[in-house]
Amino acid sequence: MATLGDIGLAAAINIITALIFLLAFAVLRLQPFNDRVYFPKWYLRRLRNSPSHSGGAVTKFVNVDLKSYMRFLNWVPDALRMPELELIEHAGLDSAVYLRIYLLGLKIFFPIMFMAWAILVPVNVTNDTLEKAKDVTFSNIDKLSISNVPLGSQRFWVHIVMAYAFTFWTCYVLQKEYATIQKMRLHFIHSEKRRPDQFTVLVKNVPPDPDESVSELVEHFFLVNHPGHYLTHQVVRNANKLADLVEEKKKQRNWLDYYQLKYSRNQSKRPVTKTGFLGLCGDKVDAIDHYTSNIERLSEKIAAERKSVMSDPKSIMPAAFVSFKTRWGAAVCAQTQQSRDPTLWLTGWAAEPRDVYWPNLAVPYVQLTVKRLMMAVSFFFLTFFFMIPIAMVQSIANIEGIEKRAPFLKSVIEAKFIKSFIQGFLPGIALKIFLILLPTILMMMSKFEGFLSISSLERRSASRYYIFNFVNVFLGSIIAGTAFEQLNTFLKKSANEIPKTIGVAIPMKATFFITYIMVDGWAGIAGEILRLKPLIFYHLKNTFLVKTEKDREKAMDAGSLGFNTGEPQIQFYFLLGLVYAVVTPLLLPFILVFFALAYVVFRHQIINVYNQEYESAAAFWPDVHGRVISALVISQFLLMGLLSTKEAALTTPFLIALPVLTIWFHRYCKGRYEPAFVKFPLQEAMMKDTLERAREPTLNLKGYLQNAYIHPVFKDEDDSDSDDDNGESLEKYEQELVPTKRQSRKNTPVPSKISGGSSPSIPEVHANDFGLSSRYLSSRSRMASVL
């Protein structure tokens, strides 16, 4: 059981580590040769040039201005100085709202911490329950928790009142924040510049027709069912194999660049490589000739595969990006059912072109349900089997509990410093190491499930990461840690007494979570701003691969803010804070330090480093709100369970109303604010369309949207020599893909007769005009003849 001394040692280690990281960053960011590492966003936007210094060659790499080192902390006020409106214009609404999650934590937990330390801590510490309990392992920290309140005490009324106060305050802040972000989103959408996704929907599950190609079928369907609004479309092609070949060619070209650069520096000897795995085995060959021949071979394959994709009807998927003349028309189509059969002609908003995850567009719709079932089962087993390393971490965290069962280990961990280091620092770092690969695994699972946009992939991965943290890191640590700490008690007491022992032991796990917060939330956040891994990788690439300015831009591109990893981490701290606010208030200051430090660090990173890959206009906020609500409900149920073990029969029933009120509040917010995050108001769409027509009456919208959703491999610059105008080629092949029995009737007059009568003013209605196949026509004819 970690003591105050152990926590103090862990705090000292993590504070020193964080300070080292921050000081190293403050010095490294001032060096001219690191400028592209710590300010890449400004370079990519052509708003910053490499710092130039007068003097010798040394000053091109090292900053010799001593005065600048005296202002090494200027990055903090610089990060906080940019107003939020300017931040939105600079980095986008997604980044600005992401930062507001950290501010939300500060708004919620600072008043809660003040009330908890002013009221709950005196109530808890003025008891001697733990000192009298001879069969329970505890430390001085636990005297500040609810565990120190005697069974059946009237003091539990204070904890219940504070639980109500914390819940009402949290809900109040959440409601204000939801309303604010809803206004920010609507204002952002209203003031946003024209984007292809505002006019485009993605239609899936296009029914097959033996007489028409997918392209013609889509055109006929939307010309008839959305007359006056349909503009153009782009069918979805299965170009995954082509994309793999293009990616492989890029890798081969990087190796060729490396060996060419190496040879240019030392032309006395031609570089060689081995043809086996990773160049570690196989025959030795001339490296430049080897990779040149590989690139030529891949170029031929790419040309052949591109031609196959563009000419083979089997490469066309039953899906298309359909664009409309107005935002209003796109909104109506995206938010309505298109056919009688709800499984056909499925429409939804298309992600912006940067946000589309192209490999999953080729996944047949019927496979999605099976794939998601498989991943649900896989995630269950992943979560279950991860309990094993969690239990190992808890065995390290609870030395006293193990010593009772294994006294031979006492001689090894007898030293005070070693014991404090193992209990106060090692558990947190061990758990952090176990979780390193988890985001990658969860993202791979989300991709396998078939989500069609990068933003939806990240949101799905973030949701599972949060569930994983709750089950394994939170519940797993409590259950496994309780078993290790109270192992002797568990063996001696009867089964009906074990829940009471667990009820006392749950607050004691606060010490473990404190160590985890310091490792992950203090030192980890400080390590984020140092960017040690990108720093090393950039200089390696700049030394061995970079030959042009374009190569240098690729080497320094930091990518976007990882929502799938950052947001679940934040939500875990919300969970810990809300659960332990009433139980062990000592944990709250550590969480506040995390929120404050992370806000400053990530504000700097968003302004100077991360270049957001897509813009969803804060579409993730309902997920954030829902997870905070779930953490609040979890904390209420855990408090009810804890008080039920404390013989507080009269006080516990008063907590039942809390989760009911919290869930009602969530439903209110869901109905009041969430529609703005999942739908586009027709009124807003009409306003933007009207303004646009007034400002740009001669706008060629079809030219703007014509090639917006062409697969990136058809626009790849490296392979442009094989096909100079892929857009025109695509249009040509769409007209020649499948010989049909009828052509598009877009401008063809039709007979005026209708079955069962005639009228000179009403055209004939064809079943295929409504997306119905010729087989449907023939079946209807047969039915009529029978009748």
Side-chain angles (χ1 to χ4, degrees):
M1 174 64 65
T3 63
L4 280 173
D6 300 337
I7 296 298
L9 177 64
I13 293 174
N14 284 285
I15 290 173
I16 292 173
T17 303
L19 288 176
I20 291 174
F21 287 159
L22 293 174
L23 289 174
F25 160 73
V27 173
L28 290 173
R29 67 187 284 269
L30 296 175
Q31 310 311 314
F33 70 100
N34 289 331
D35 204 56
R36 290 178 180 268
V37 178
Y38 294 110
F39 302 96
K41 191 170 189 174
W42 299 97
Y43 282 93
L44 293 173
R45 297 191 175 190
R46 306 291 190 273
L47 298 175
R48 188 181 181 98
N49 297 317
S50 297
S52 58
H53 299 276
S54 59
V58 175
T59 57
K60 296 180 180 179
F61 300 94
V62 181
N63 185 357
V64 296
D65 183 9
L66 297 181
K67 293 182 179 180
S68 64
Y69 291 95
M70 302 300 294
R71 303 186 298 271
F72 67 95
L73 288 179
N74 278 4
W75 67 270
V76 177
D78 288 344
L80 299 175
R81 189 174 294 121
M82 182 179 287
E84 188 172 58
L85 291 178
E86 186 178 341
L87 179 66
I88 294 173
E89 183 178 354
H90 173 70
L93 185 63
D94 280 347
S95 299
V97 172
Y98 181 84
L99 288 174
R100 291 187 70 96
I101 306 177
Y102 294 106
L103 287 179
L104 178 68
L106 293 173
K107 293 176 183 177
I108 289 176
F109 288 114
F110 186 79
I112 287 179
M113 185 196 70
F114 177 80
M115 290 188 290
W117 276 80
I119 300 173
L120 290 178
V121 170
V123 170
N124 295 334
V125 77
T126 54
N127 294 280
D128 55 359
T129 303
L130 292 175
E131 293 178 353
K132 294 180 179 179
K134 298 180 181 180
D135 55 352
V136 175
T137 304
F138 69 96
S139 69
N140 290 332
I141 295 176
D142 300 311
K143 294 181 180 179
L144 304 177
S145 73
I146 197 174
S147 297
N148 202 33
V149 180
L151 300 178
S153 174
Q154 293 298 313
R155 296 191 178 196
F156 288 122
W157 283 106
V158 179
H159 297 83
I160 291 177
V161 171
M162 296 308 296
Y164 271 91
F166 296 165
T167 298
F168 289 155
W169 171 250
T170 302
C171 291
Y172 172 78
V173 176
L174 281 174
Q175 188 271 333
K176 290 293 184 182
E177 195 70 14
Y178 215 150
T180 300
I181 293 175
Q182 183 206 42
K183 292 178 181 178
M184 292 172 63
R185 174 179 167 86
L186 293 176
H187 180 268
F188 180 81
I189 291 175
H190 179 76
S191 60
E192 192 178 23
K193 297 179 181 178
R194 184 190 310 112
R195 293 196 324 189
D197 54 293
Q198 297 172 351
F199 300 87
T200 307
V201 302
L202 176 62
V203 56
K204 299 179 292 184
N205 235 27
V206 177
D209 191 310
D211 297 328
E212 288 188 324
S213 66
V214 173
S215 179
E216 290 174 323
L217 195 59
V218 169
E219 181 185 27
H220 289 160
F221 181 88
F222 285 96
L223 278 174
V224 171
N225 295 286
H226 295 270
H229 297 286
Y230 166 77
L231 180 62
T232 185
H233 72 277
Q234 179 66 54
V235 295
V236 173
R237 298 169 181 272
N238 186 353
N240 290 349
K241 183 178 179 181
L242 177 60
D244 292 339
L245 290 172
V246 171
E247 187 63 27
E248 179 63 23
K249 182 179 177 180
K250 289 180 180 179
K251 293 179 181 178
Q252 297 289 321
R253 181 162 289 171
N254 285 338
W255 281 111
L256 178 61
D257 292 343
Y258 165 71
Y259 284 112
Q260 285 179 336
L261 192 60
K262 183 179 180 180
Y263 180 63
S264 66
R265 293 174 178 175
N266 182 16
Q267 298 186 4
S268 62
K269 183 179 179 181
R270 296 274 293 185
V272 295
T273 186
K274 294 182 179 181
T275 58
F277 179 70
L278 295 178
L280 301 176
C281 58
D283 300 331
K284 286 187 177 181
V285 295
D286 184 283
I288 295 178
D289 293 341
H290 173 70
Y291 287 107
T292 300
S293 63
N294 285 350
I295 290 173
E296 292 175 354
R297 174 177 52 82
L298 286 170
S299 295
E300 295 176 357
K301 286 186 176 181
I302 288 172
E305 181 64 22
R306 176 182 282 113
K307 185 176 181 180
S308 174
V309 169
M310 295 168 61
S311 60
D312 187 0
K314 295 181 180 179
S315 68
I316 297 181
M317 307 304 296
F321 291 98
V322 181
S323 298
F324 294 82
K325 297 177 182 178
T326 61
R327 296 174 181 84
W328 187 93
V332 170
C333 181
Q335 297 165 181
T336 55
Q337 182 175 316
Q338 303 303 310
S339 68
R340 293 179 179 178
D341 188 343
T343 64
L344 300 177
W345 297 101
L346 303 177
T347 55
W349 282 109
E352 65 165 315
R354 296 180 303 168
D355 191 20
V356 175
Y357 186 67
W358 295 96
N360 281 352
L361 290 178
V363 179
Y365 181 77
V366 294
Q367 293 184 11
L368 295 180
T369 303
V370 178
K371 286 191 170 189
R372 291 178 184 179
L373 176 62
M374 292 171 59
M375 287 301 98
V377 175
S378 301
F379 179 68
F380 171 79
F381 283 105
L382 174 67
T383 306
F384 179 78
F385 284 112
F386 207 85
M387 283 287 187
I388 298 174
I390 293 293
M392 294 171 58
V393 170
Q394 288 304 317
S395 68
I396 296 174
N398 303 289
I399 294 179
E400 289 88 344
I402 295 177
E403 285 180 349
K404 293 180 180 180
R405 307 304 302 173
F408 61 89
L409 294 177
K410 280 189 176 182
S411 58
V412 180
I413 54 178
E414 190 72 24
K416 183 177 180 181
F417 177 81
I418 295 177
K419 184 176 180 180
S420 297
F421 176 81
I422 291 175
Q423 293 192 134
F425 181 75
L426 194 58
I429 195 68
L431 183 58
K432 182 71 175 176
I433 292 172
F434 276 123
L435 295 175
I436 286 178
L437 295 178
L438 181 63
T440 303
I441 295 172
L442 294 179
M443 181 58 74
M444 291 172 60
M445 294 173 68
S446 299
K447 291 178 179 178
F448 184 80
E449 286 183 290
F451 289 95
L452 302 178
S453 65
I454 299 173
S455 58
S456 61
L457 286 172
E458 291 191 344
R459 290 200 294 270
R460 177 69 163 185
S461 181
S463 176
R464 283 188 166 162
Y465 200 168
Y466 176 75
I467 295 172
F468 186 93
N469 276 340
F470 171 68
V471 174
N472 278 289
V473 182
F474 183 71
L475 291 182
S477 296
I478 289 177
I479 295 172
T482 300
F484 275 108
E485 287 179 13
Q486 312 299 336
L487 190 58
N488 187 48
T489 305
F490 272 49
L491 295 176
K492 291 182 178 179
K493 286 193 173 184
S494 61
N496 61 346
E497 292 294 321
I498 291 179
K500 293 184 179 180
T501 306
I502 295 177
V504 175
I506 285 177
M508 298 179 186
K509 293 313 301 173
T511 56
F512 166 75
F513 290 121
I514 287 173
T515 63
Y516 177 76
I517 291 170
M518 288 188 291
V519 171
D520 182 67
W522 296 7
I525 293 298
E528 157 69 27
I529 200 170
L530 180 59
R531 305 192 71 233
L532 187 59
K533 180 181 175 181
L535 176 69
I536 296 173
F537 275 45
Y538 168 75
H539 287 300
L540 287 175
K541 291 179 181 178
N542 194 40
T543 303
F544 298 110
L545 295 178
V546 171
K547 293 193 301 182
T548 64
E549 189 63 28
K550 183 180 178 181
D551 295 335
R552 186 169 288 106
E553 288 183 1
K554 291 181 179 179
M556 71 178 178
D557 187 4
S560 60
L561 192 65
F563 179 83
N564 60 308
T565 56
E567 195 269 345
Q569 179 196 38
I570 306 172
Q571 293 297 334
F572 186 66
Y573 291 114
F574 275 103
L575 176 65
L576 292 179
L578 292 172
V579 167
Y580 282 98
V582 178
V583 175
T584 309
L586 179 65
L587 185 136
L588 294 176
F590 296 89
I591 289 180
L592 280 174
V593 171
F594 160 75
F595 279 118
L597 178 62
Y599 175 74
V600 176
V601 167
F602 279 101
R603 210 173 199 276
H604 174 274
Q605 300 296 78
I606 285 172
I607 292 173
N608 300 301
V609 178
Y610 292 121
N611 192 29
Q612 192 63 18
E613 190 175 1
Y614 60 84
E615 178 59 60
S616 69
F620 57 82
W621 187 257
D623 296 335
V624 174
H625 176 87
R627 283 194 271 275
V628 177
I629 290 293
S630 68
L632 191 58
V633 174
I634 289 168
S635 69
Q636 294 161 358
F637 278 110
L638 288 179
L639 182 60
M640 290 171 60
L642 177 60
L643 290 181
S644 68
T645 66
K646 305 288 284 184
E647 297 182 2
L650 295 178
T651 56
T652 304
F654 286 89
L655 286 173
I656 296 177
L658 270 183
V660 175
L661 292 174
T662 305
I663 294 172
W664 173 85
F665 167 77
H666 175 60
R667 290 180 62 85
Y668 164 77
C669 289
K670 188 177 180 68
R672 172 64 179 83
Y673 302 111
E674 188 172 325
F677 292 84
V678 295
K679 295 181 180 179
F680 190 21
L682 295 180
Q683 182 185 26
E684 188 73 19
M686 182 61 74
M687 288 174 58
K688 289 185 70 69
D689 290 333
T690 304
L691 288 174
E692 188 172 73
R693 284 194 296 268
R695 293 171 180 172
E696 302 177 70
T698 60
L699 172 66
N700 181 14
L701 188 60
K702 186 172 183 178
Y704 172 73
L705 298 171
Q706 187 72 43
N707 298 324
Y709 284 94
I710 290 179
H711 198 292
V713 294
F714 294 113
K715 298 185 283 188
D716 190 89
E717 295 181 7
D718 293 337
D719 301 299
S720 59
D721 54 337
S722 62
D723 197 337
D724 294 331
D725 194 352
N726 291 310
E728 294 181 5
S729 300
L730 282 169
E731 292 180 13
K732 178 185 69 174
Y733 277 108
E734 283 179 7
Q735 299 298 326
E736 302 175 357
L737 280 176
V738 181
T740 61
K741 298 180 180 178
R742 57 182 182 273
Q743 298 298 323
S744 173
R745 290 183 301 279
K746 186 173 182 179
N747 298 311
T748 304
V750 294
S752 59
K753 292 184 179 180
I754 303 179
S755 176
S758 63
S759 172
S761 61
I762 303 177
E764 182 179 359
V765 180
H766 294 273
N768 58 288
D769 286 343
F770 295 92
L772 304 176
S773 67
S774 56
R775 285 174 290 182
Y776 179 85
L777 265 175
S778 59
S779 65
R780 293 283 293 178
S781 299
R782 288 194 299 270
M783 184 182 296
S785 63
V786 171
L787 294 175

